[in-house]
Amino acid sequence: MRIIFLGTGTSVGIPTIGCSCEVCTSSDPRDTRTRTGLLVEHQGQRIQIDISADFRQQMLRERIDRLDAVLITHAHADHILGLDDLRPFTFRQGEIPVHATAETWSRVERVFYYIFSPPSNYVGGGLPRIRREYIDGRFEVIGLQITPVTVIHGNMEVTAFRISDGRFEMAFITDCNLIPENSLRQLEGLDLLIIDALRYKPHSTHLHLEQTLAYIERLKPRRALLTHMGHNFKHAVTSSHLPTGVEMAWDGLQVELN
Ligand SMILES: [Zn+2]
Ligand SMILES: [Zn+2]
Ligand SMILES: [Zn+2]
């Protein structure tokens, strides 16, 4: 199993429009963070997790020509607005299965009304061919076991994913400020944990660094990588004082689990 960090930034992206702070103007490429997205490859097939407005650029950057499934964590704009850009894939490949909870689907369907409820007299450009799959317990995609894990993001539930190829266990947790006790139990024994860390100061809907590190300390994965980061973290500075085994991810980072 191999993963590629497509984007590691918070909702506004780094650099942020109109911001001239040290991180937004940094020449270190690791300080440029497109909106959060992750690619998981296994035996020549690929799962895309979340699909932001930066999805198109991420696919071009990584020269991706085929996707076999998409997983969506929740329906905030920075995780779904690239859905329409599945079109070049579906024109070539046909229908792509997209997995989300019923709650997330009900929100995605409202945003992309023209895909999911096209008017009967619809004429015009091609629509992405999406097969709606409803997450309700463990499922299998491209030979990987996927366990959905519920985390809390302000007043909504977000789906985190534990992914196993039978030998290696990883989990992707974006956008949360709380991991309930029974969800923590589903996240034990990980080789790799990818987890939300927005900034240094507390935030109402995201983990801040101290909380993220406390969860990592509790779960004790072999390796932890931070994502969904804001412009308070300068890569060279923040990464230099993280505990052993904890690192900041960056756009384009690839990790081989073998
Ligand atoms: Zn987000
Ligand atoms: Zn900034
Ligand atoms: Zn969110």
Side-chain angles (χ1 to χ4, degrees), residues 85-104:
D85 282 325
L86 282 178
R87 289 187 301 154
F89 291 103
T90 69
F91 292 161
R92 280 201 305 273
Q93 300 173 215
E95 213 170 48
I96 293 183
V98 178
H99 299 255
T101 63
E103 173 65 26
T104 296

Side-chain angles (χ1 to χ4, degrees), residues 5 20 27 30 54 66 79 82-83 97 104 106 113 125 128 136 142 160 191-192 196 212 232 236 245 256:
F5 284 86
S20 53
S27 57
R30 298 169 305 178
D54 295 325
R66 185 182 168 87
H79 298 262
L83 202 66
T104 296
S106 74
Y113 67 93
D136 180 21
I142 66 165
D191 297 294
L192 174 66
D196 184 13
T212 305
N232 302 119
E256 200 86 45

